[in-house]
Amino acid sequence: LERACRNSWDAMLTEARTTNRLLWDSETYRFENATMHDGTLSLALSTIPFSIRFGMNEHTERVKDLGIAYAAMGMFTSCLVQTSDAASVFIEKSDKYFTRKKYAWVGGVLSKMERVLRSGGDLFGALEDEVMEELGVGAQVFDGQSLRAGYLTENWNVCLLFSQTISLSARQLQQRFEQAGDGEAKRLMCIPASELRQQACIFEERDQVKFAILDLL
């Protein structure tokens, strides 16, 4: 399985080079187990190379046959960012990085290279880093943040689903993004609550579970 994943990764690298897009490898975090005691959630983590984790997405059925012990269980964050005027924020991906997704939630893979996770503060800090980088904002705009759920995806990875409110209106956020976005997003999508049900259909089917968990539909 690992050999097959590396072959898939090599094919992705070739495609990324051909299309002038970036693709990086690093040690990323892998979910081992979780326990709850006296209202405190404890996560046990290990690491897995991103190349293996990403390559394994091409071998979902084989992992299903082998069993969960062979799954990548790579951890990533997805965040529902909401503005002060109740718009929900998503991004349309640019061509800067190699990806097959066009529309996405704010968030990303939890990489040990970017931030070492030793505490809950580190985990929330990793999410804040993603929000600041992708949207072009500073930490001073953060109002409230919570971890809403964690679930196993169809590709045998673990999504940590957060919500984050910010003190900027949708228009103010758009202005900040145009001035300081990191280039991963081509544009922001600030969707009013009244249009969220209609707009949710543009996301991949695998993203629909996030909307269901957050009870927005």
Side-chain angles (χ1 to χ4, degrees):
L1 177 61
E2 185 171 330
R3 186 163 53 249
C5 292
R6 292 198 181 281
N7 290 338
S8 296
W9 174 257
D10 289 342
M12 293 175 192
L13 281 176
T14 299
E15 183 179 348
R17 293 190 190 103
T18 302
T19 55
N20 294 316
R21 290 180 289 173
L22 300 175
L23 189 58
W24 53 268
D25 196 8
S26 76
E27 287 296 308
T28 60
Y29 283 100
R30 180 181 192 274
F31 175 85
E32 292 292 343
N33 61 67
T35 58
M36 180 73 78
H37 180 69
D38 290 338
T40 298
L41 175 66
S42 297
L43 301 175
L45 313 179
S46 60
T47 60
I48 183 172
F50 180 72
S51 52
I52 299 299
R53 176 200 181 282
F54 198 35
M56 201 176 291
N57 289 343
E58 303 292 317
H59 305 281
T60 300
E61 289 304 313
R62 186 171 179 183
V63 173
K64 182 178 180 181
D65 292 338
L66 290 170
I68 197 170
Y70 289 83
M73 303 296 281
M75 293 176 61
F76 68 98
T77 60
S78 289
C79 184
L80 179 72
V81 178
Q82 292 186 300
T83 63
S84 61
D85 50 354
S88 298
V89 182
F90 305 93
I91 64 173
E92 181 179 348
K93 292 278 192 177
S94 71
D95 293 329
K96 181 177 179 180
Y97 295 100
F98 180 86
T99 179
R100 305 194 190 284
K101 297 186 72 172
K102 184 174 182 181
Y103 304 106
W105 298 58
V106 177
V109 172
L110 289 166
S111 168
K112 188 175 181 179
M113 180 178 68
E114 295 178 350
R115 183 183 280 260
V116 176
L117 301 182
R118 294 192 179 95
S119 69
D122 293 331
L123 177 61
F124 279 87
L127 176 69
E128 291 175 355
D129 291 344
E130 292 286 350
V131 175
M132 289 189 288
E133 291 169 5
E134 293 184 19
L135 303 187
V137 299
Q140 69 274 11
V141 306
F142 294 157
D143 269 353
Q145 183 186 69
S146 63
L147 174 60
R148 303 292 293 272
Y151 68 91
L152 187 64
T153 72
E154 64 180 17
N155 284 336
W156 303 92
N157 291 306
V158 175
C159 175
L160 297 180
L161 184 57
F162 294 81
S163 62
Q164 171 75 68
T165 57
I166 59 176
S167 59
L168 300 175
S169 67
R171 176 175 294 183
Q172 290 171 326
L173 179 59
Q174 288 282 7
Q175 292 172 341
R176 296 282 186 93
F177 170 76
E178 291 170 6
Q179 295 169 359
D182 71 349
E184 182 173 352
K186 179 163 64 175
R187 71 181 179 97
L188 292 190
M189 303 163 58
C190 297
I191 304 174
S194 60
E195 300 176 14
L196 193 55
R197 179 190 292 271
Q198 177 184 352
Q199 293 295 325
C201 65
I202 70 173
F203 291 87
E204 293 183 1
E205 183 177 352
R206 69 184 62 177
D207 282 324
Q208 298 306 315
V209 65
K210 299 175 187 176
F211 291 105
I213 289 172
L214 292 172
D215 195 28
L216 296 177
L217 302 183

